[in-house]
Amino acid sequence: MASKVIHALYTDDDILLNAVKETRKAHYHIEEVYTPFPVHGLEKAMGLADTRIAICSFLYGLVGLSVAITMMNFIMIEDWPQNIGGKPSFSYIENMPAFVPIMFEMTVFFAAHLMVITFYMRSKLWPFKKAENPDVRTTDDHFLMEVDLGGHSAEEVSKFLTGTGATELKIVEKESDH
Amino acid sequence: MYTLPNKLKLFAIIFMVVGALGMIGGFLAVPADVEEVKTMMASHDDGHGGGHGDATAAHGDGHGEAGAHAGEDAHGGDAHYEHVLGQLQNRPWAAVYVACFFFMMIALGALAFYAIQYAAQAGWSPVLFRVMEGITAYLPVGTVILFVLLLLSTLHFNHLFHWMDADLVNPDSDKFDKIIAGKSGFLNTPFFLIRAGIFILGWNLYRAISRKYSLKLDETNDPAYFKKLFKFSAGFLVFFIVTESMMSWDWIMSFDPHWFSTLFGWYVFAGMMVCAITVIAMVTMVLKSQGYLEFVNDSHIHDLAKFMFGFSIFWTYLWFSQFMLIWYSNIPEEVTYFVTRIEDFNLLFFGMVVMNFVFPLLILMNSDYKRVNLFVIMAGIIILAGHYIDVFVMVMPSAVGTSWYIGMPEIGALMFFFGLFVFVVFTALTKAPLLAKANPLLKESKQFHY
């Protein structure tokens, strides 16, 4: 089903932030906001849920730590416990200080890389991805708020958005996929 | 203005009195001669069962004469009992020294943190300056007591600093220690006291000047004082990092005059900073909960908790770097330091790593937990206990060796200095308004939000 949305353009992040708050208060549905740079407090104003990527990262770190421990325990202690320069290879704990640098690096490596990959997957970013930019100016100096018309009339919403400081309004037919 | 609650005053005085009794008890419980040691050791022999040879061997490095005697008669004879007597006589002194140093280092760390805030022109912390100034008010008291302890050591009231024994550097004596004699250009009592005097004077001078200018700034609203504070703080930080490093050689590393480590100064510094920031956070939360700091919000606590977290990990990094490098190369002259600690102080030595690293890591990693006072206080108590043990493990092995125990003298000294610290700090907090109102960065600090 095709749905109609209004693209409201703003030229200042403070005005945008206020507009987002007012629009939410007036119970219009904000589909998306496009900005050229991170606007502090925008996600709070939009009422977006907190990210859980830090929790993911912590768990990935634990995976990395386990990989490092399992790997070195098998290689250095179980598989071929050689005497290398007098280091005690009788048990993992006895030789642990020598393994700590690797345990640390593997934890960081897994936590960082898997978190980044998670970020790409969740935000659907990859090379050759088609840009979803509704207006090229939003990467330079304009801010765009996409408001779902829903059951409201176009005039009503347009009037409201002009009141919030929008400099330009555009009604767009959108092939809806949500 | 903050007024000292009578309950808190009473609380501090009770701690001081009970602690002082414990300390005196510790001094009275010291055996007077070898015979007493023998009867003491016979009465609880399982504690030392079969430990005669071990004890002397393990401490041969720290105590030149003991090692020599152990060579003559490793078992039996009076040499071993004399050695234990020396350890037991050191114990109440070492207990006082550790507790005194621990609280002095909190005040010193807070002073360094305070100077960093000025030098970095931090925008979040000005609302906490008066709290920090209150904590650093303990510095004059703490350093003077510590200086008296050092002076008593140089006057041979105790045998804490082994190298102060004049026989060790006398080539004609049979106690002559070539290694210590070789270091006597640096480790000699007059120079030691002069150095201590310079450190203590320098720190207290900055503390007095910064406090004076901070109050003057409020009084006159003249930004010139802010600029002066900035300059003095930057200068103090240079002085501090040099003197702190030397202080750690003098006041802690010289307990083991045969041993040396290059990153020791940093290691002591990291422990000092984490304790100081923890105490700043705790005092802030206490005052806030009593309604005195209405301009402090949970973002300030969050920032302090971040510092606690970060410095805990920094401390662990230095602890591990020092340990792992020495463990890996395993050079006999260096590794004895850790051998005695792992053999005789095993639980404390590794337990403190858990307390100072694993607990803060897990408790303070979550951003939400860093805003919950209960979690920060809990983490803070564990961190402070852990760093007391850290100082304990740095000092005790060479002062009392295997005769260590956390009993009446140790807990008494800790209670006494805790009471004194609380009394001095909270009394100092009543001397000035809790908000440094003329600071140019104050508005930013009040609105600080993370």
Side-chain angles (χ1 to χ4, degrees):
Chain A
M1 192 192 98
S3 70
K4 277 188 177 171
V5 293
I6 291 196
H7 285 172
L9 278 145
Y10 298 85
T11 52
D12 187 277
D13 50 342
D14 278 340
I15 298 170
L16 172 81
L17 210 55
N18 278 325
V20 167
K21 283 177 193 157
E22 281 175 41
T23 313
R24 289 240 308 156
K25 215 187 271 170
H27 295 295
Y28 294 117
H29 177 66
I30 300 175
E31 199 76 2
E32 193 66 84
V33 177
Y34 296 87
T35 66
F37 53 78
V39 177
H40 195 72
L42 184 63
E43 81 285 1
K44 279 220 176 67
M46 288 173 71
L48 298 182
D50 279 346
T51 171
R52 287 166 296 183
I53 201 154
I55 300 167
C56 287
S57 184
F58 179 73
L59 297 175
Y60 296 149
L62 292 182
V63 172
L65 185 63
S66 319
V67 168
I69 292 173
T70 319
M71 177 183 79
M72 286 184 294
N73 186 47
F74 177 71
I75 297 172
M76 303 300 290
I77 309 295
E78 283 174 10
D79 191 35
W80 195 358
Q82 263 198 117
N83 182 344
I84 303 167
K87 284 280 158 282
S89 51
F90 308 109
S91 71
Y92 191 79
I93 197 76
E94 267 182 296
N95 209 357
M96 201 191 69
F99 301 147
V100 166
I102 297 153
M103 285 154 67
F104 171 76
E105 293 294 345
M106 289 286 266
T107 308
V108 175
F109 180 87
F110 272 65
H113 288 82
L114 291 180
M115 176 177 75
V116 168
I117 293 168
T118 307
F119 168 73
Y120 285 153
M121 286 166 66
R122 288 290 289 153
S123 46
K124 301 195 178 70
L125 279 176
W126 56 84
F128 313 113
K129 151 127 181 157
K130 196 172 166 290
E132 295 167 351
N133 197 0
D135 190 315
V136 287
R137 288 171 297 171
T138 59
T139 63
D140 184 12
D141 61 349
H142 279 63
F143 304 83
L144 189 150
M145 180 163 67
E146 188 177 285
V147 181
D148 193 5
L149 269 187
H152 309 283
S153 77
E155 283 105 286
E156 182 200 331
V157 182
S158 303
K159 211 174 145 198
F160 171 79
L161 287 174
T162 316
T164 62
T167 52
E168 204 179 311
L169 292 171
K170 204 165 35 172
I171 298 169
V172 182
E173 288 281 331
K174 199 177 173 191
E175 284 309 313
S176 149
D177 54 355
H178 62 271
Chain B
M1 285 294 266
Y2 174 70
T3 45
L4 188 67
N6 274 329
K7 263 189 193 164
L8 190 68
K9 203 171 170 181
L10 193 67
F11 170 84
I13 289 172
I14 288 173
F15 262 86
M16 277 157 74
V17 171
V18 174
L21 290 176
M23 272 156 55
I24 294 167
F27 279 103
L28 294 178
V30 167
D33 53 27
V34 173
E35 294 311 311
E36 269 186 59
V37 176
K38 281 182 183 166
T39 47
M40 261 175 77
M41 288 176 70
S43 65
H44 46 91
D45 207 17
D46 11 321
H48 288 269
H52 293 197
D54 291 350
T56 38
H59 294 280
D61 69 299
H63 296 254
E65 89 275 41
H69 285 293
E72 288 160 23
D73 45 10
H75 294 278
D78 278 355
H80 170 55
Y81 292 106
E82 266 170 37
H83 183 62
V84 174
L85 176 66
Q87 293 182 339
L88 291 174
Q89 282 172 337
N90 265 349
R91 192 179 148 202
W93 286 102
V96 174
Y97 188 89
V98 169
C100 179
F101 183 86
F102 179 68
F103 284 99
M104 189 285 295
M105 103 182 177
I106 290 174
L108 183 60
L111 191 67
F113 190 68
Y114 177 75
I116 291 170
Q117 301 307 307
Y118 268 113
Q121 303 200 1
W124 67 278
S125 53
V127 295
L128 301 172
F129 278 174
R130 284 292 148 78
V131 176
M132 295 182 206
E133 283 168 17
I135 293 166
T136 57
Y138 180 76
L139 189 68
V141 182
T143 45
V144 166
I145 299 175
L146 195 66
F147 189 79
V148 170
L149 283 177
L150 295 176
L151 194 66
L152 292 177
S153 291
T154 57
L155 297 173
H156 303 292
F157 280 88
N158 58 51
H159 198 72
L160 280 183
F161 294 91
H162 182 58
W163 55 267
M164 286 175 183
D165 190 339
D167 284 345
L168 294 174
V169 291
N170 176 11
D172 300 327
S173 164
D174 57 347
K175 282 185 179 178
F176 179 65
D177 185 320
K178 206 174 165 189
I179 295 173
I180 292 177
K183 294 184 179 185
S184 61
F186 188 78
L187 287 181
N188 59 73
T189 48
F191 190 28
F192 177 80
L193 285 179
I194 292 169
R195 279 198 306 268
I198 293 171
F199 306 158
I200 289 172
L201 275 181
W203 301 335
N204 281 308
L205 198 65
Y206 169 72
R207 144 81 202 159
I209 289 171
S210 62
R211 171 74 166 179
K212 195 177 107 192
Y213 284 171
S214 167
L215 294 177
K216 274 265 172 75
L217 182 66
D218 263 14
E219 221 173 86
T220 58
N221 264 324
D222 181 0
Y225 286 111
F226 183 72
K227 282 189 185 170
K228 278 186 186 166
L229 272 165
F230 172 77
K231 283 180 192 156
F232 270 105
S233 302
F236 168 71
L237 286 172
V238 176
F239 176 78
F240 169 76
I241 206 60
V242 176
T243 52
E244 189 277 333
S245 205
M246 296 179 75
M247 173 275 275
S248 72
W249 310 335
D250 276 358
W251 299 355
I252 297 185
M253 201 155 76
S254 82
F255 278 106
D256 298 271
H258 283 195
W259 182 79
F260 47 86
S261 163
T262 40
L263 60 69
F264 198 75
W266 283 107
Y267 172 70
V268 173
F269 168 76
M272 175 185 284
M273 287 307 278
V274 76
C275 289
I277 292 161
T278 303
V279 171
I280 292 170
M282 286 170 124
V283 173
T284 306
M285 282 183 281
V286 166
L287 290 175
K288 170 97 182 149
S289 70
Q290 292 171 353
Y292 284 105
L293 300 171
E294 74 278 4
F295 34 81
V296 170
N297 57 42
D298 62 355
S299 289
H300 294 110
I301 303 296
H302 184 268
D303 258 34
L304 286 170
K306 264 193 287 191
F307 271 113
M308 284 160 65
F309 178 72
F311 272 105
S312 285
I313 289 168
F314 179 58
W315 174 88
T316 315
Y317 165 65
L318 292 176
W319 175 85
F320 181 71
S321 300
Q322 179 167 280
F323 173 70
M324 195 263 252
L325 285 180
I326 290 173
W327 172 86
Y328 214 119
S329 59
N330 204 15
I331 303 172
E333 73 232 42
E334 286 178 350
V335 85
T336 49
Y337 185 81
F338 288 113
V339 170
T340 49
R341 275 154 185 81
I342 290 172
E343 280 180 0
D344 305 334
F345 292 76
N346 195 293
L347 183 66
L348 288 191
F349 185 65
F350 291 110
M352 88 181 172
V353 180
V354 175
M355 291 169 83
N356 293 337
F357 174 61
V358 180
F359 274 93
L361 183 82
L362 295 178
I363 297 175
L364 294 176
M365 191 186 299
N366 189 318
S367 183
D368 294 331
Y369 290 179
K370 286 201 274 274
R371 292 170 190 278
V372 181
N373 284 3
L374 182 70
F375 279 103
V376 181
I377 291 266
M378 260 168 40
I381 290 170
I382 292 167
I383 287 173
L384 287 178
H387 283 281
Y388 170 76
I389 297 174
D390 180 25
V391 179
F392 189 88
V393 172
M394 282 195 276
V395 170
M396 289 298 175
S398 38
V400 301
T402 42
S403 309
W404 73 273
Y405 191 71
I406 297 188
M408 185 172 62
E410 287 80 10
I411 293 170
L414 197 58
M415 283 175 75
F416 175 78
F417 283 101
F418 174 72
L420 186 66
F421 184 83
V422 168
F423 185 76
V424 172
V425 167
F426 282 87
T427 307
L429 286 169
T430 62
K431 297 279 162 63
L434 289 176
L435 183 63
K437 62 179 195 304
N439 193 300
L441 295 161
L442 185 68
K443 200 170 174 214
E444 182 183 342
S445 179
K446 273 178 160 178
Q447 292 169 352
F448 172 70
H449 178 77
Y450 169 73

